[in-house]
Amino acid sequence: MNDRTGGTATHPGAGPGPGAHGVPPRAGEPGTAEERFRGLLEAAPDAMVIVDGTGAIRLVNAQTEALFGYRREELLGQPVELLVPHRLRGHHTLHRNAYAANRQVRPMGAGLDLHGLRRDGSEFPVEISLSPLETADGLLISAAVRDVSDRRAAEERISELAALVESSQDAILAKTLDGHITYWNTAAQRLYGYTAAEVMGRHISLLAPSDHQEEIAALMGRLRLGEKVEHFETLRVTRAGALLDVDVTMWPRRASDGTVIGACAIVRDISDRKRAEAELTALYEQQRHVALTLQRSLMGTPPAVPGLVTASRYRPATQGAGVGGDWFDLIPLGAGRVGVLIGDVMGRGLEAAAVMGQLRSAAHALAKTGMQPRRLMQALDACVADLDVPDQLVTCCYLVVAADEAKVTLCSAGHLPVLVAVPGAGARPLTAPVNAPLGVGDILYEQASAAVPPGATLVLYTDGLIETPGCDIEDSLAALTATCGALFTAEPPAPDVVADLILSTLRPDAEGHDDDVTLLLAQLPAAPLASATTTLPARAASVPEGRAFLSKALAAWNCRDKAHDARLLVSELLTNAVRHGQGPVTLHACRTADELTVEVGDGSPHLPEPRRADEDEESGRGLNLVRMIADSWGVRPTDEGKTTWFTLRL
């Protein structure tokens, strides 16, 4: 045992013993007193060691044996340095002699760093109280020795934690349950600008802006209930009046019986993070705006088609890149026909949008030629292959609406079924062959025609409308069909209203979808007021026969003001069909409220083109005449050959 730099480890105990009762029994006193002394020595809670003036051990108790690991007989008569670590014994004798010369009681916990040595050679920290005893045999010194290993370990742990708290980059503070500050570390001073002396005992509301005072009361109420508050983001105010974005974690501080007696808080400055988040959000929104602007530019604005009432909705994805590959288009084909196109490039981002833009442009140009849906899809499949985008798949559906025939011809490349909704008759999918998506390659696309009554509405959409994680696609399609059937009553709302109702039913969370959503409604025009069709053989006599047939129809339709031009133009088309085409020749005329359309079909696949005829040529002027007189005209290929048509406004 050592004292300061190795002094005597003889320290009077706090319990009863020789040091507490003056002097031990003198020789010759009754034996009962000596027995009483020894009994008191054994009853002491600490290890008791009594040495004489030479430092020899005279008495020890059982606690000494337990603490140092020696038997009593091994200690008696031995120098007390036996219980002192070897590294400290050199100074121990000097300190012991100095204490003998200057005798005074030294209590426990005198602030000395003392250590004892066990029999097994292990050292341990101790506290020692010393007390001099004058006896007839000379000076005795009693030492009460207490093992403080556990306490030292706890103190070291507390010291370590205190150092960690003080070195923390986060503000750490403690407060009473009524909100008065009781602890304030260095980081808190850096964060708020107040020293510990300035805030100690003041209310925590000092740190909150005026409009956050109720928040302080609510937080303290939660702490009083024993609740922990984690990562609460709020505003706090510094001594200079600056506002800080902070992240606060608070927890209740409890007494040994579990009672909440206070609270502690860790406060982290997140102003830089908030600024970075705001900058990232602004940058993201800017990039998203650019991407969406690009996408909408690539998607284009479908033109208004006479007689066709449409409504469209497009919602970009609200998660991730946002911009995607959905598109739709309406293409006036002339002669009362309209092409309707919808597609979806799988994937998202600018790459998908770029592919979408190229395919839309290609599809629009191909459709303007009057190409049949299956041929258009075949050409688009080649376009996807030419784009050389690995693993790029595209779903697409193209329809040609012929209102005068109450017919829709469509080809689908892996796209979701088109619905047709008839007022008062519900909704159903249009039957069409199931073709592979574009980009698979080496696919022979098939088309189908379906009767669609005038006034019916076609419902086209992309998968973002009905596909959600974990959903069954068949169930979602059934839900869309049922929704459309319920909306298209005998007198349905306007298409714009229907489109909004479909979206609100199928996609009620406008900000929670992770895919583009595209919806297109196209309400077919009413049936033509009148139509007439005849079939003629491919011979010269068919020209006057066809002209007479058209004259009779125009007279019945009260279109006499256009009869001369119509007869002139149909003569040119019939002459071309008879001379250059293959029979039979079909003549079809229909009248709407606004225009007259005349079509001449034959069995030749060769598509005529206007050309400049030389002065000595007798042919080559017919189509130029049609081009000059008709309000619009064109040629489209058919499975049987071709059809040449013109329109005249009424």
Side-chain angles (χ1 to χ4, degrees):
M1 298 173 292
N2 65 300
D3 177 2
R4 297 186 186 272
T5 59
T8 302
T10 50
H11 216 265
H21 294 272
V23 296
R26 298 179 182 273
E29 290 186 0
T32 55
E34 183 175 345
E35 291 174 2
R36 189 181 305 116
F37 169 71
R38 292 184 180 277
L40 290 173
L41 195 65
E42 291 298 331
D46 298 315
M48 300 298 298
V49 180
I50 297 178
V51 300
D52 60 18
T54 65
I57 299 173
R58 298 283 299 277
L59 288 173
V60 295
N61 63 355
Q63 286 82 347
T64 303
E65 294 179 281
L67 181 60
F68 288 94
Y70 289 97
R71 296 194 304 277
R72 193 181 305 250
E73 54 270 22
E74 292 177 306
L75 291 175
L76 296 179
Q78 296 294 325
V80 74
E81 282 77 16
L82 179 68
L83 306 179
V84 176
H86 295 280
R87 58 189 174 84
L88 302 175
R89 289 178 181 176
H91 301 282
H92 187 267
T93 303
L94 295 176
H95 285 279
R96 178 167 49 79
N97 292 335
Y99 182 81
N102 185 20
R103 308 167 190 176
Q104 58 182 2
V105 174
R106 192 182 70 192
M108 283 278 191
L112 303 178
D113 185 20
L114 308 176
H115 289 79
L117 179 67
R118 295 189 179 92
R119 183 179 184 183
D120 61 8
S122 61
E123 295 185 18
F124 60 99
V126 294
E127 277 188 351
I128 300 174
S129 65
L130 297 178
S131 181
L133 302 173
E134 290 291 349
T135 69
D137 297 327
L139 176 66
L140 295 179
I141 299 174
S142 69
V145 184
R146 182 175 299 167
D147 184 357
V148 292
S149 299
D150 293 341
R151 194 179 76 194
R152 287 288 177 84
E155 289 173 351
E156 289 175 2
R157 180 60 178 160
I158 291 171
S159 177
E160 178 182 325
L161 292 175
L164 287 173
V165 168
E166 280 304 312
S167 64
S168 172
Q169 296 301 306
D170 296 328
I172 300 177
L173 52 145
K175 51 202 169 187
T176 61
L177 283 181
D178 58 3
H180 290 89
I181 299 170
T182 58
Y183 179 77
W184 187 262
N185 74 341
T186 304
Q189 178 175 334
R190 288 196 304 267
L191 180 64
Y192 291 108
Y194 293 98
T195 65
E198 289 173 320
V199 298
M200 206 64 66
R202 299 182 68 177
H203 199 272
I204 196 69
S205 59
L206 168 73
L207 308 176
S210 57
D211 56 347
H212 283 58
Q213 296 299 315
E214 292 183 1
E215 172 191 292
I216 293 291
L219 291 174
M220 294 306 300
R222 293 170 64 181
L223 291 168
R224 279 191 288 270
L225 294 175
E227 181 181 348
K228 184 178 181 180
V229 180
E230 294 189 88
H231 299 297
F232 181 78
E233 295 187 3
T234 185
L235 286 175
R236 290 294 180 259
V237 64
T238 68
R239 181 178 183 179
L243 290 177
L244 294 174
D245 286 293
V246 296
D247 176 295
V248 183
T249 294
M250 294 172 285
W251 63 96
R253 187 164 54 88
R254 300 178 183 273
S256 57
D257 61 356
T259 304
V260 178
I261 58 174
C264 297
I266 296 178
V267 184
R268 176 168 297 176
D269 184 1
I270 57 172
S271 300
D272 290 342
R273 192 195 82 191
K274 286 289 187 179
R275 280 192 293 270
E277 288 175 353
E279 291 172 0
L280 285 175
T281 300
L283 180 61
Y284 172 77
E285 288 301 324
Q286 181 182 12
Q287 292 176 341
R288 179 180 170 85
H289 175 72
V290 170
L292 291 177
T293 301
L294 171 64
Q295 184 184 32
R296 289 193 171 99
S297 176
L298 293 172
M299 181 183 287
T301 302
V305 179
L308 192 70
V309 182
T310 63
S312 62
R313 296 292 183 271
Y314 172 71
R315 285 184 182 174
T318 57
Q319 302 171 16
V323 61
D326 288 10
W327 89 90
F328 64 90
D329 203 358
L330 300 172
I331 307 109
L333 302 176
R337 284 167 169 74
V338 179
V340 183
L341 187 71
I342 191 165
D344 183 4
V345 179
M346 296 184 183
R348 285 188 300 176
L350 292 179
E351 184 177 64
V355 172
M356 174 270 289
Q358 295 176 80
L359 290 180
R360 182 187 180 277
S361 298
H364 189 93
L366 291 168
K368 292 293 285 186
T369 67
M371 185 179 289
Q372 294 185 77
R374 61 182 175 83
R375 295 186 182 276
L376 181 140
M377 213 60 71
Q378 209 80 48
L380 284 182
D381 185 58
C383 287
V384 174
D386 290 343
L387 290 175
D388 194 26
V389 180
D391 303 322
Q392 184 68 74
L393 293 178
V394 181
T395 66
C396 185
C397 185
Y398 178 55
L399 305 88
V400 175
V401 179
D404 61 328
E405 299 178 19
K407 184 179 73 172
V408 170
T409 303
L410 73 156
C411 181
S412 174
H415 204 76
L416 293 164
V418 176
L419 302 183
V420 56
V422 181
R428 60 179 174 82
L430 281 178
T431 302
V434 179
N435 297 305
L438 303 176
V440 173
D442 197 25
I443 298 296
L444 185 63
Y445 288 93
E446 299 179 12
Q447 66 184 34
S449 295
V452 177
T457 298
L458 300 173
V459 181
L460 298 92
Y461 51 94
T462 56
D463 56 3
L465 179 66
I466 64 172
E467 286 189 9
T468 54
C471 77
D472 183 279
I473 190 67
E474 294 297 332
D475 292 342
S476 298
L477 181 57
L480 173 61
T481 305
T483 300
C484 292
L487 292 173
F488 284 93
T489 58
E491 295 185 5
D496 274 316
V497 176
V498 172
D500 289 333
L501 290 173
I502 290 175
L503 280 181
S504 63
T505 302
L506 285 236
R507 281 295 192 182
D509 183 7
E511 299 301 324
H513 51 94
D514 57 1
D515 195 6
D516 290 26
V517 177
T518 300
L519 173 66
L520 173 64
L521 304 181
Q523 183 179 1
L524 275 63
L529 298 178
S531 65
T533 304
T534 186
T535 302
L536 304 168
R539 63 185 183 183
S542 295
V543 176
E545 289 178 17
R547 190 165 53 242
F549 175 81
L550 180 61
S551 295
K552 183 179 178 181
L554 294 178
W557 299 343
N558 194 24
C559 294
R560 293 183 179 86
D561 57 333
K562 294 293 183 180
H564 178 268
D565 290 346
R567 284 195 296 268
L568 176 61
L569 298 182
V570 80
S571 296
E572 296 295 334
L573 297 186
L574 286 170
T575 299
N576 280 347
V578 169
R579 287 184 179 179
H580 308 295
Q582 300 174 7
V585 177
T586 302
L587 173 61
H588 175 74
C590 70
R591 180 193 189 283
T592 67
D594 301 316
E595 63 183 16
L596 170 69
T597 300
V598 180
E599 300 177 340
V600 175
D602 66 75
S604 172
H606 176 69
L607 303 182
E609 296 181 4
R611 64 182 179 86
R612 186 179 297 278
D614 294 334
E615 291 183 2
D616 58 346
E617 288 187 279
E618 294 185 3
S619 63
R621 297 178 177 83
L623 288 183
N624 281 320
L625 187 63
V626 173
R627 185 165 58 101
M628 289 187 293
I629 296 176
D631 291 302
S632 61
W633 79 281
V635 182
R636 66 174 181 270
T638 65
D639 287 336
E640 296 77 19
K642 66 178 178 294
T643 295
T644 308
W645 57 270
F646 67 85
T647 63
L648 296 170
R649 292 195 186 93
L650 300 178

